Amino acid sequence: MAVPLMALPSTVATLTPRPVAVALPVLPVKKAPSTLSYRVTATTYWPEVGQTDDNPMETADGSIIPRRHSSKTRWLAVSRDMLSKWGGPFRFGEKVRVSGISDDLDGIYIIHDTMNRRHRHCVDVLVNEQECKNGLEGRWTGIRLHKLGPEPTWQAS
């Protein structure tokens, strides 16, 4: 049996505005480190058993040094006291700016390796053996190591 449309009761939904309270979380404010810049001693090294461990092409963070590396690779080893694992300010994979060595070696580096435990407040710049023979080998004091902040990430607005 068919029911005529006119016989059905009509229901109309209405929306009424209601005040809504929005609670925003209070995030803790992260304080910036007391210093982002450090004075260190810098040296150069190339991957050979005499200057590294038994596996010279593998760094402490597990990265493999490219066969055709040079100072342009921009990898850095830091002394253990500079790594967060031993209470220092840096972690593997962080970017730092090195200045005060030379025009060829100053720039932005990525921390991939650590130095022997006897070194304190030092960095080692990865170069190749030929570059050392051409004058990039050395030891420099008073080098400025500047910790770069995290890179901003894109967020939808």
Side-chain angles (χ1 to χ4, degrees), residues 62-133:
S63 300
I64 303 299
I65 297 172
R67 289 270 175 224
R68 295 178 181 252
H69 70 279
S70 70
S71 60
K72 303 292 185 233
T73 305
R74 300 295 188 189
W75 284 17
L76 195 67
V78 297
S79 56
R80 292 179 186 212
D81 65 318
M82 301 290 285
L83 286 172
S84 61
K85 183 176 180 178
W86 288 278
F90 300 105
R91 288 175 294 167
F92 290 124
E94 282 189 320
K95 290 183 179 181
V96 295
R97 179 179 304 279
V98 176
S99 57
I101 300 176
S102 70
D103 291 339
D104 292 329
L105 294 178
D106 287 355
I108 296 176
Y109 286 82
I110 299 174
I111 299 172
H112 280 285
D113 213 348
T114 187
M115 300 170 73
N116 188 293
R117 69 184 64 167
R118 71 178 177 269
H119 298 288
R120 296 281 182 260
H121 239 59
C122 297
V123 298
D124 237 352
V125 177
L126 177 68
V127 297
N128 65 33
E129 189 174 2
Q130 189 61 40
E131 287 176 313
C132 281
K133 290 179 181 176

Side-chain angles (χ1 to χ4, degrees), residues 35-42 81-82 90 99-100 120-123 140-146:
T35 180
L36 293 175
S37 191
Y38 304 87
R39 291 256 183 216
V40 297
T41 299
D81 65 318
M82 301 290 285
F90 300 105
S99 57
R120 296 281 182 260
H121 239 59
C122 297
V123 298
W140 301 268
T141 58
I143 302 308
R144 178 70 70 192
L145 186 66
H146 182 79

